[in-house]
Structures are given as structure tokens and as C-alpha cells.
């Protein structure tokens, strides 16, 4: 059976009333869901950073071990070359072996310099690593507290929200698709989630712009769906709101 305009308006206003109650419940949670999500991102980011720094520290330790092994090899080569110096037969051989001893000595100096640099880098990165660990503990603590707070609020309101959501789905079934699409779009564009609003003090209660007397009269007749010329919200008269409250 085709609905009258008045029935359509009442169905829309009823749906808006239910959604407004749901919005108020969700407002109690405030920014908590976003805060929890942000903290989860922080924790994940810090864990990735800590893992990266730990890997870099391990690589530096490996580099030091490699350099120490190179020093040992150079020291062994120097001993070998020094022994060979006692057995040289001419100046050319002596100069060649002496050059090798000098090269091995320079290699040792380079490795010792690198070890000092790696050591300094380890100290610096360790400080960053320890601070990141402390930051991670703090973020995890904050996250646990926010999750607990959100869990408490959700538990207190979950039953009511579920009931209202079921009511909203039932109310939607009585609204034709075209109107429901328009309502959903308006509600999504409005910061306060209001798509259907009443006239209050000769003004739209959504944007507070004044409504001309003739337009108010048309709204009260409930013969066509009228939207606010300023914000686009669907307008209903105050009497309809009163009737909805007494139902």
C-alpha cells in the first residue's frame, strides 16, 4: 500500500530519533576508539623500529668480530713476513717483504679505527634502542588502560546499542529506497548526524536559518517532503516531534 507523505515523514523522523540515540551512546565513547587505534599504530611502529635497531646492533657486533679476525690474520702475516726477512738473499726481496709488513700494519690500523667507529655507533644506537623500549612500555601501558576504559563503556552500552540498531533496521524497512538513500546521504554529510530536523522558533533546528512563514505552513500540512533551503535537511513540524514522543 502506497504511503502518504505524512507517513513517510513520520517514518523518517522515527528513524532519525533512533539514530540520534545511537549517536549519543557512541559520543560517550568519545575519541576512545580513535585513541586506541592510534596507540595500536604507535606500538606496531615502535616494535618495527626496535626490531630494526636490534638488527643493526647485531650487524655492528658482527662487523667488530670480522675486523678483530682481520687483525689476527694481519698479525699472523706480519710474524710470517718477519721470519722471511731473516732469510732474504737480496735487497729486492727485503724491500718486497718489508712492504708487505707495512701493508699488514696499515690494515691493522684501519681495522682498529673501524672497531672504534663501530663501538661508538653501538653506544649511540643502544641509547636509541633503550629509549624506544621505554617508549614501547609506556605506549603499551596507555593502550591497555584505554582498551580497558573502552571495554567498560562498550559493555555498559552494548545491549542498548544493539537494541536500537535492530529498531533502526526495522524502521528502514518501512521507508522506500529513494528516500532512504537521500536520508543516508544527508546524515553522512551532517556533522551531528541529523538528516531530519524540526522547526524551532521559526528556524531550521539543523542550521538555525530562518524559515519563511509560507514554507512553515507547507511543512505543517505534511503534503510534500520539504527540505531546508540552506542545509538541505528534511524538515518536519514541531507537532510531529511531540506526537513521536507520546508514542
Amino acid at each position: 500500500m502506497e504511503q502518504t507523505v505524512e507517513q513517510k515523514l513520520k517514518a523518517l523522523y522515527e528513524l532519525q530519533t533512533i539514530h540520534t540515540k545511537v549517536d549519543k551512546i557512541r559520543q560517550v565513547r568519545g575519541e576512545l576508539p580513535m585513541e586506541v587505534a592510534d596507540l595500536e599504530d604507535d606500538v606496531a611502529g615502535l616494535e618495527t623500529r626496535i626490531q630494526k635497531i636490534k638488527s643493526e646492533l647485531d650487524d655492528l657486533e658482527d662487523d667488530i668480530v670480522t675486523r678483530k679476525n682481520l687483525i689476527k690474520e694481519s698479525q699472523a702475516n706480519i710474524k710470517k713476513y718477519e721470519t722471511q726477512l731473516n732469510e732474504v738473499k737480496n735487497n729486492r726481496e727485503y724491500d718486497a717483504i718489508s712492504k708487505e709488513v707495512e701493508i699488514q700494519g696499515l690494515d691493522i690500523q684501519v681495522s682498529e679505527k673501524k672497531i672504534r667507529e663501530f663501538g661508538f655507533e653501538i653506544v649511540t644506537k643502544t641509547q636509541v634502542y633503550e629509549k624506544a623500549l621505554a617508549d614501547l612500555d609506556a605506549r603499551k601501558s596507555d593502550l591497555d588502560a584505554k582498551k580497558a576504559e573502552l571495554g567498560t563503556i562498550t559493555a555498559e552500552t552494548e545491549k542498548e546499542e544493539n537494541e536500537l540498531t535492530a529498531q533502526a533496521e526495522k524502521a528502514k524497512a518501512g521507508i522506500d529506497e529513494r528516500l532512504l538513500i537521500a536520508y543516508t546521504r544527508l546524515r553522512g554529510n551532517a556533522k551531528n548526524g541529523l538528516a531530519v530536523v524540526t522547526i524551532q522558533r521559526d528556524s531550521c533546528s539543523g542550521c538555525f536559518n530562518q524559515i519563511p512563514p509560507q514554507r512553515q505552513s507547507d511543512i505543517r500540512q505534511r503534503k510534500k517532503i520539504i527540505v531546508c533551503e540552506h542545509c538541505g535537511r528534511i524538515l518536519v513540524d514541531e507537532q510531529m516531534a511531540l506526537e513521536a514522543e507520546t508514542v
Side-chain angles (χ1 to χ4, degrees):
M1 185 176 175
E2 181 68 25
Q3 286 181 314
T4 64
V5 171
E6 183 173 354
Q7 288 172 327
K8 290 178 180 179
L9 286 168
K10 284 183 177 179
L12 284 170
Y13 188 74
E14 179 189 358
L15 181 59
Q16 178 66 76
T17 302
I18 295 167
H19 277 152
T20 298
K21 289 177 182 177
V22 173
D23 290 343
K24 285 180 179 177
I25 288 173
R26 290 176 179 170
Q27 282 171 7
V28 173
R29 298 174 197 159
E31 300 293 324
L32 274 176
M34 289 180 63
E35 288 175 16
V36 167
D38 287 343
L39 283 168
E40 286 174 338
D41 288 343
D42 288 347
V43 167
L46 282 167
E47 286 176 339
T48 300
R49 188 182 180 201
I50 286 167
Q51 188 176 2
K52 183 175 180 289
I53 297 171
K54 181 68 170 62
S55 178
E56 290 171 351
L57 285 169
D58 290 342
D59 288 344
L60 286 167
E61 293 288 356
D62 289 343
D63 289 339
I64 287 175
V65 170
T66 299
R67 286 292 175 176
K68 284 182 176 179
N69 288 334
L70 288 173
I71 288 173
K72 287 178 182 178
E73 288 177 16
S74 293
Q75 289 172 337
N77 287 334
I78 287 172
K79 285 184 180 180
K80 180 182 71 174
Y81 291 136
E82 285 176 343
T83 301
Q84 291 176 2
L85 281 173
N86 296 325
E87 299 171 0
V88 296
K89 296 177 182 178
N90 53 58
N91 288 339
R92 186 172 62 80
E93 287 183 9
Y94 184 88
D95 290 342
I97 294 171
S98 295
K99 188 66 175 176
E100 288 297 333
V101 171
E102 183 182 348
I103 289 170
Q104 295 299 317
L106 290 172
D107 286 346
I108 289 172
Q109 289 178 24
V110 170
S111 290
E112 287 174 341
K113 182 173 181 291
K114 287 292 183 182
I115 287 171
R116 288 193 296 272
E117 289 175 356
F118 295 150
F120 177 77
E121 207 170 338
I122 285 172
V123 170
T124 303
K125 284 188 181 295
T126 299
Q127 291 172 348
V128 175
Y129 179 75
E130 289 173 351
K131 184 179 183 305
L133 285 175
D135 289 344
L136 179 61
D137 287 341
R139 290 291 191 282
K140 281 185 173 179
S141 179
D142 290 343
L143 177 59
D144 289 342
K146 292 293 183 184
K147 277 185 172 179
E149 188 179 350
L150 180 59
T152 300
I153 293 172
T154 300
E156 290 173 352
T157 60
E158 188 173 21
K159 182 180 177 183
E160 185 182 358
E161 184 176 353
N162 288 341
E163 289 174 352
L164 287 168
T165 301
Q167 289 176 26
E169 290 304 313
K170 186 177 177 181
K172 284 180 183 179
I175 301 171
D176 69 64
E177 187 178 359
R178 183 180 59 82
L179 272 178
L180 191 57
I181 290 171
Y183 167 85
T184 304
R185 186 183 69 251
L186 285 167
R187 182 167 151 74
N189 291 336
K191 288 183 179 180
N192 56 10
L194 294 176
V196 184
V197 295
T198 59
I199 300 169
Q200 291 182 6
R201 297 180 181 177
D202 300 326
S203 300
C204 166
S205 62
C207 66
F208 309 108
N209 280 291
Q210 195 165 16
I211 301 169
Q214 182 56 51
R215 199 165 183 79
Q216 291 186 47
S217 176
D218 292 340
I219 292 166
R220 291 190 184 96
Q221 289 178 33
R222 306 176 187 177
K223 290 183 179 179
K224 57 183 177 179
I225 293 173
I226 297 173
V227 299
C228 175
E229 293 176 338
H230 301 280
C231 66
R233 290 179 173 92
I234 297 166
L235 294 164
V236 297
D237 57 278
E238 287 181 283
Q239 185 60 34
M240 181 173 287
L242 292 173
E243 290 170 4
E245 290 175 5
T246 59
V247 174

